[in-house]
Amino acid sequence: MAEVRRGRQMPTRSVILPYSQTKGQEAVELYNSTGRTAQEWQELLLYDLLSYNDEDLWTHTKFGYSVPRRNGKNEIVSIREMWGLKDGEHILHTAHRTTTTHSAWERLLDLLGKAGIEVVSSYRAFGKEHIEVTGGGKVEFRTRTSKGGLGEGFDLLIIDEAQEYQDDQESALKYVVSDSQNPQTIFCGTPPTPVSSGTVFLKYRRSVLAGDTVNSGWAEWSVEEMSDPRDRELWYETNPSLGTILTERKITDEIGSDPVDFNIQRLGLWIKYNQKSAISRAEWEELRCTSLPKLKGKLFAGVKYGHDGENVALSIAVRTEDKRIFVETVDCRPIRAGTAWIVSMLSAMDVQQVIIDGANGQALLAEEMKEAKLHKPVLPTVKEIIVANSAFEQGISKQEICHAGQPALAQTASNCEKRAIGTNGGFGYRSIKDGVEIALLDSVILAYWACSKSKETKKQQKRY
């Protein structure tokens, strides 16, 4: 009998902090004692959720995850709550809808009974359910409001239906775990739709993926752009429970006249027109020169080969008399056009240093430059790329950068988001708008970094 194909068990994107200890196996065994069996992806996610450090504190004080609908994401929360109750935790489970909190209460109560955990107190007031077990562990279920949770203290805060979690609700709830010696907040949901009211989940995801958080984790199953609803390979890439509790037949029946909704709900697409650029149009416009400034010194060039293997961009940077750095994109062409145009332009310019990034082209270009007897280029490490991006961000903030207002560069700069690089909080940029080539901005960043770290040459003074 042929083996049944399963969906991808590892997230398509994740940020998991390093750890060596976890209570995840304990939680999985407790759940499996109910007669149910945790799926592999659920086990792996629980290991991350319940990981802890040498001080017995959670590795991730905050953790968010997004899985397309009907994959069993709420089972993760139930397993976490079962373990927490047995360990004596006080838990607050919140959701956007009253029916959701009630369903969560029913599911957890059923699991506790099958696991043989004694429930000493339980009531089912709709929208205000409660469970307490032997040993003092208890969980309260609440429908979210802007005042819910105030004045109460908990060890674990569950934000169910996180795509609807709003700023005023967060203001009321985020402090309920502050008194705990080992607090944890878990966000679970799906990507927001165009009519979703929540903003917190979206901002949390962006911050974690950009490396702007501490003690925080993230996992998601998603596509990065609008995709064909009938592409079965993407079904398996984004639905970890496909082949177990989900079937191809069920997904086929979901395909309708709205491909955007299918991409969000079934393929995990985070729609980019709901997101704000890491660099605003106003910020970039403030750096625009009203007239070309007086330039001094040699040029510095940045060459970036795009991640998708489509285009390569060349930009330059040069110091100005008023101690700023002027940046401009020279050109951006398809990679298949070759390297001759880049070598020709570099040969025609008085360039002090060239930075080339992109494994899909940097070695070939470096060899072509050697044959043309140009200066040996710098092929930056990941660490240096992180430094370059950070320096560029600071340059924008301090207004030490200026440009001539090139439309293509302005469009790229004002339609980008941060993305995490490495494991120590580094970041880069990615486009949030289809058809916008981020290589333009990346090449500018390389040129700016080369120019900014160079020392200004001073005329030698002779004294007699």
Side-chain angles (χ1 to χ4, degrees), residues 326-342:
F326 178 81
V327 296
E328 186 165 273
T329 296
V330 177
D331 205 348
C332 181
R333 299 184 187 181
I335 293 177
R336 63 176 180 270
T339 60
W341 69 273
I342 301 176

Side-chain angles (χ1 to χ4, degrees), residues 168-209:
D168 59 342
Q169 296 168 352
E170 183 192 35
S171 296
L173 288 171
K174 67 180 180 180
Y175 298 108
V176 302
V177 293
S178 296
D179 289 338
S180 174
Q181 296 301 308
N182 192 19
Q184 188 174 53
T185 299
I186 297 174
F187 306 87
C188 69
T190 56
T193 66
V195 296
S196 295
S197 57
T199 55
V200 178
F201 199 38
L202 179 66
K203 290 188 289 187
Y204 176 79
R205 172 184 181 264
R206 288 185 60 191
S207 296
V208 179
L209 292 179

Side-chain angles (χ1 to χ4, degrees), residues 17-23 47-61 181-183 215:
L17 301 179
Y19 66 86
S20 58
Q21 307 172 91
T22 179
K23 304 287 187 181
Y47 292 158
D48 298 334
L49 277 172
L50 287 166
S51 63
Y52 60 97
N53 60 24
D54 292 337
E55 298 177 355
D56 287 333
L57 300 176
W58 300 126
T59 303
H60 306 99
T61 56
Q181 296 301 308
N182 192 19
N215 304 326

Side-chain angles (χ1 to χ4, degrees), residues 3 22 37 78 105 144 163 165 174 193 203 215 408 441:
E3 184 178 350
T22 179
T37 302
S78 294
W105 172 80
R144 284 192 293 270
Q163 67 273 13
Y165 192 31
K174 67 180 180 180
T193 66
K203 290 188 289 187
N215 304 326
L441 181 63

Side-chain angles (χ1 to χ4, degrees), residues 305 335-345 361 364-366 368-369:
Y305 284 85
I335 293 177
R336 63 176 180 270
T339 60
W341 69 273
I342 301 176
V343 174
S344 175
M345 288 185 173
L364 178 61
L365 179 57
E368 294 289 335
M369 289 177 62

Side-chain angles (χ1 to χ4, degrees), residues 1 4 10 26 45 55 57 61 85 100 109-110 119 139 158 164 187 238 246 297 335 342 367-368 443 462:
M1 185 176 178
V4 177
M10 297 293 290
E26 291 180 17
L45 200 54
E55 298 177 355
L57 300 176
T61 56
L85 286 173
T100 304
L109 196 61
D110 178 61
V119 176
V139 55
I158 302 294
E164 304 294 343
F187 306 87
T238 57
L246 265 179
I335 293 177
I342 301 176
E367 185 62 30
E368 294 289 335
S443 63
K462 294 182 179 180

Side-chain angles (χ1 to χ4, degrees), residues 121-237:
S121 173
S122 175
Y123 50 82
R124 56 178 300 162
F126 208 59
K128 199 174 182 180
E129 295 83 355
H130 159 90
I131 298 174
E132 185 174 350
V133 302
T134 302
K138 67 178 181 179
V139 55
E140 308 288 344
F141 296 85
R142 298 287 184 273
T143 306
R144 284 192 293 270
T145 67
S146 60
K147 297 181 180 179
L150 290 175
E152 301 178 75
F154 300 90
D155 301 300
L156 174 63
L157 173 61
I158 302 294
I159 306 297
D160 197 355
E161 298 178 315
Q163 67 273 13
E164 304 294 343
Y165 192 31
Q166 300 173 28
D167 290 321
D168 59 342
Q169 296 168 352
E170 183 192 35
S171 296
L173 288 171
K174 67 180 180 180
Y175 298 108
V176 302
V177 293
S178 296
D179 289 338
S180 174
Q181 296 301 308
N182 192 19
Q184 188 174 53
T185 299
I186 297 174
F187 306 87
C188 69
T190 56
T193 66
V195 296
S196 295
S197 57
T199 55
V200 178
F201 199 38
L202 179 66
K203 290 188 289 187
Y204 176 79
R205 172 184 181 264
R206 288 185 60 191
S207 296
V208 179
L209 292 179
D212 290 340
T213 57
V214 293
N215 304 326
S216 296
W218 177 263
E220 70 177 57
W221 281 258
S222 66
V223 292
E224 291 194 13
E225 56 188 22
M226 275 290 293
S227 304
D228 181 4
R230 298 189 181 279
D231 187 338
R232 291 174 185 253
E233 290 302 313
L234 294 180
W235 297 359
Y236 282 95
E237 187 73 3

